[in-house]
Amino acid sequence: MEIVICPDAVAAGKLGAQAIVTLFGHKPDAVLGLATGSSPLVIYDELAARCAAGGVSFAQARGFTLDEYVGLPADHPETYHNVIRRDFVNRVDFGPGAVQGPDGLADDVPAFCASYEAAIAAAGGVDLQILGIGTDGHIGFNEPGSSLASRTRIKTLTRQTRVDNARFFDGDLDRVPTHCITQGLGTIMAARHIVLVASGA
């Protein structure tokens, strides 16, 4: 493990982005693990700027997102499917369908979770996973106390996580979903390289 203390979030974003640029230098078809939330935005902003300038291409890359709310309509702006596209995927040159994510509307959630694990394995696993961390220490939607061996599954969100995320739902806690699908800690730790960004108090 390497801990790098940066002077500010922008510097952290440049460092995280450089890790991906370096990876693509020898593996342009790498598989990325993509997190939503505020922590990784500095990485995505830097990568979008570099892509626009011709400094990096995602045309051969694939991606898998970490988590998704259960039960939000597909057109809801705060589904993580829509958030990751708004924040990153549509700002660079990923190919059509190159980024997959959990299906929060799956009829059979356990079966979907198993199929998602299988899809990651079929892609060869994640080469580089981007992570943030919540105020209570959650990674993905793995709340403190989650098993280190856990795999993709449905989880109940803690009140603190829902309070933190209420800002995306006009401050209305009742509109924040109570359940999610998340990659497990075991799934996340299977990535060959992990970049976790944390900023602020």
Side-chain angles (χ1 to χ4, degrees):
M1 181 189 303
E2 182 182 12
I3 298 173
V4 181
I5 300 174
C6 298
D8 53 38
V10 172
K14 291 180 183 297
L15 191 67
Q18 185 57 49
I20 292 172
V21 172
T22 300
L23 170 64
F24 283 179
H26 62 84
K27 191 175 184 182
D29 60 347
V31 177
L32 300 178
L34 303 174
T36 52
S38 56
S39 301
L41 288 177
V42 287
I43 295 177
Y44 299 151
D45 287 345
E46 178 67 17
L47 288 171
R50 293 193 189 197
C51 185
V56 64
S57 173
F58 294 81
Q60 298 181 57
R62 295 183 61 186
F64 291 91
T65 58
L66 267 182
D67 43 28
E68 181 60 272
Y69 290 117
V70 169
L72 283 185
D75 61 353
H76 194 289
E78 295 307 323
T79 67
Y80 287 155
H81 173 89
N82 292 327
V83 169
I84 197 64
R85 278 155 182 76
R86 184 170 66 239
D87 288 348
F88 182 48
V89 173
N90 292 344
R91 300 169 65 196
V92 295
D93 60 341
F94 276 111
V99 176
Q100 301 179 52
D103 181 1
L105 297 173
D107 291 330
D108 186 337
V109 172
F112 171 78
C113 291
S115 71
Y116 197 59
E117 287 278 334
I120 294 172
V126 171
D127 292 296
L128 189 150
Q129 174 69 58
I130 299 171
L131 296 175
I133 188 165
T135 58
D136 66 355
H138 70 260
I139 292 177
F141 273 132
N142 295 282
E143 300 289 1
S146 294
S147 168
L148 296 178
S150 56
R151 311 303 292 196
T152 303
R153 68 215 187 283
I154 190 168
K155 289 287 288 180
T156 302
L157 298 175
T158 65
R159 177 177 174 79
Q160 183 60 58
T161 296
R162 293 179 67 237
V163 167
D164 289 347
N165 288 357
R167 68 187 189 276
F168 301 115
F169 294 84
D170 297 325
D172 186 350
L173 182 62
D174 291 336
R175 292 171 56 192
V176 182
T178 57
H179 291 83
C180 66
I181 296 172
T182 185
Q183 288 187 33
L185 293 176
T187 310
I188 291 167
M189 291 299 291
R192 286 177 275 279
H193 186 184
I194 294 173
V195 175
L196 187 151
V197 180
S199 60

